[in-house]
Amino acid sequence: MTEIVRVPLREWTGSTLSADARDDALHALEAAKILFFPQLPYSVERIELLRANTLAAGSKNLSYDSATGRLRSAELAAPVREAVKSALERYCTSARSLVLGLFPRYAAGLIVGRTSFRPAEIAGRESSWRKDDTRLHVDSFPSTPVQGKRILRVFSNVNPEGEPRAWRSGEPFEDVAKKFVPDIPPLAHGVSLLLACLKITKQRRTAYDHYMLKLHDRMKSDAQYQSRVPASAFEFPAGTSWMVYTDQVSHAAMRGSCAFEQTFYIPVEAMESPESSPLRILERLTHARLAS
Ligand SMILES: O=C(O)CCC(=O)C(=O)O
Ligand SMILES: [Fe+2]
């Protein structure tokens, strides 16, 4: 079960932590622990208004691309739109300075992915099993092949009523993989090329992406697995932040509303312990190269 490691950081620049403490944090993160920052709030002015307005416009999850400045959500009135965009842009900058300040070695090859604002309550939300994040899963995105790269995410609970964000976490990645991988047929020849040609995927879907997508789907669609696998529950209080490799740590979000999230992609080669990555674990289990 996933360990939570508390990091006593008070600023969004990881560099204020001692070098030893940063090393410890890096080891913990790459060993599939969750780094929890109990004293690191992300502050957003008039968050209640942002939540009310975005939900009224039908947006449960607003996704922002800092590279293009594009906010995905057409329905927002201009002033709300600008406020959300600036909060997302600032979150992106903060999360980036947190990650790079704590782990300068990740600067080589770090790719800044999407930033999101999640105003909606998770509990009781209707969704297909595949999109249901209350089921334990590891992250994998169908249209964004990572080709072996890691998915590192930073979250902040900004709930204005002081409600926690409740998560659960399941078994270690290697156990998940050993359970499901033997029954996953290999990526069919030609499929990845076809998906890329049809622009269904942004890059080529590698065998690694194939296994990760199947793991995500098989975990979520297996009701017996969901109810029987040992899991631990924990709550991230309002006004706190956390960071985790969500491609490796089996997780589920159960309850809470109003969070910010930033996604990063990190090449396995930039890690201190590449052998602990899902790519290397899956390669050991399948006796194949999966991302070349
Ligand atoms: O919103 C959250 O707290 C996490 C949900 C989740 O599992 C995800 O976005 O992949
Ligand atoms: Fe997830």
Side-chain angles (χ1 to χ4, degrees), residues 133 137-139 153 246 251:
D133 286 334
H137 65 283
V138 288
D139 284 351
R153 294 181 125 178
T246 53
H251 63 284

Side-chain angles (χ1 to χ4, degrees), residues 12-70:
W12 286 88
T13 53
S15 47
T16 51
L17 220 57
S18 73
D20 279 354
R22 276 182 273 147
D23 278 351
D24 290 349
L26 182 64
H27 289 152
L29 182 73
E30 293 194 359
K33 295 173 186 176
I34 296 176
L35 297 188
F36 175 44
F37 305 95
Q39 293 150 329
L40 192 64
Y42 181 61
S43 310
V44 181
E45 270 178 46
R46 295 180 301 156
I47 186 71
E48 297 94 331
L49 266 177
L50 285 196
R51 177 174 62 182
N53 281 297
T54 48
L55 287 177
S59 300
K60 291 177 182 169
N61 188 342
L62 292 99
S63 153
Y64 175 68
D65 182 353
S66 64
T68 59
R70 266 192 61 203

Side-chain angles (χ1 to χ4, degrees), residues 218-230:
R218 291 195 179 199
M219 291 172 82
K220 279 189 177 175
S221 62
D222 189 333
Q224 210 170 66
Y225 177 75
Q226 291 290 331
S227 63
R228 291 197 185 156
V229 71

Side-chain angles (χ1 to χ4, degrees), residues 116-136:
S116 67
F117 173 46
R118 305 171 173 209
E121 171 58 48
I122 299 165
R125 197 156 78 182
E126 296 274 327
S127 71
S128 65
W129 64 263
R130 196 174 263 123
K131 290 196 170 152
D132 182 2
D133 286 334
T134 68
R135 302 174 191 220
L136 288 163

Side-chain angles (χ1 to χ4, degrees), residues 46-285:
R46 295 180 301 156
I47 186 71
E48 297 94 331
L49 266 177
L50 285 196
R51 177 174 62 182
N53 281 297
T54 48
L55 287 177
S59 300
K60 291 177 182 169
N61 188 342
L62 292 99
S63 153
Y64 175 68
D65 182 353
S66 64
T68 59
R70 266 192 61 203
L71 177 69
R72 236 192 295 172
S73 173
E75 311 297 321
L76 296 178
V80 180
R81 200 183 164 75
E82 282 318 304
V84 172
K85 217 167 124 169
S86 91
L88 282 163
E89 181 64 45
R90 188 164 54 86
Y91 192 68
C92 178
T93 308
S94 305
R96 192 167 172 276
S97 98
L98 177 68
V99 169
L100 291 182
L102 282 173
F103 315 126
R105 63 175 303 127
Y106 285 173
L110 179 102
I111 296 171
V112 179
R114 300 227 164 233
T115 317
S116 67
F117 173 46
R118 305 171 173 209
E121 171 58 48
I122 299 165
R125 197 156 78 182
E126 296 274 327
S127 71
S128 65
W129 64 263
R130 196 174 263 123
K131 290 196 170 152
D132 182 2
D133 286 334
T134 68
R135 302 174 191 220
L136 288 163
H137 65 283
V138 288
D139 284 351
S140 176
F141 313 128
S143 59
T144 312
V146 296
Q147 305 182 324
K149 286 190 279 301
R150 305 300 315 272
I151 301 174
L152 178 65
R153 294 181 125 178
V154 178
F155 294 87
S156 295
N157 181 358
V158 299
N159 184 280
E161 284 86 34
E163 299 289 340
R165 199 168 188 85
W167 273 31
R168 285 195 314 139
S169 170
E171 59 186 350
F173 183 84
E174 183 135 6
D175 295 350
V176 175
K178 281 182 177 154
K179 214 162 275 173
F180 292 102
V181 164
D183 293 330
I184 298 175
L187 180 63
H189 195 65
V191 166
S192 87
L193 205 61
L194 187 66
L195 290 171
C197 286
L198 296 175
K199 302 224 175 336
I200 294 169
T201 55
K202 293 176 191 137
Q203 282 97 28
R204 200 170 57 82
R205 185 179 289 175
T206 61
Y208 173 73
D209 295 297
H210 167 75
Y211 279 112
M212 291 301 287
L213 274 177
K214 294 286 183 220
L215 277 182
H216 169 276
D217 286 1
R218 291 195 179 199
M219 291 172 82
K220 279 189 177 175
S221 62
D222 189 333
Q224 210 170 66
Y225 177 75
Q226 291 290 331
S227 63
R228 291 197 185 156
V229 71
S232 47
F234 35 85
E235 296 190 339
F236 300 106
T240 69
S241 303
W242 60 104
M243 182 192 296
V244 53
Y245 272 122
T246 53
D247 54 358
Q248 180 159 32
V249 173
S250 164
H251 63 284
M254 310 308 290
R255 190 163 35 82
S257 71
C258 246
F260 278 77
E261 174 272 336
Q262 174 65 50
T263 301
F264 297 99
Y265 301 101
I266 293 169
V268 165
E269 302 74 46
M271 295 176 65
E272 185 185 48
S273 316
E275 71 283 357
S276 67
S277 66
L279 173 64
R280 299 288 176 244
I281 292 173
L282 290 175
E283 287 186 334
R284 283 197 291 276
L285 289 178

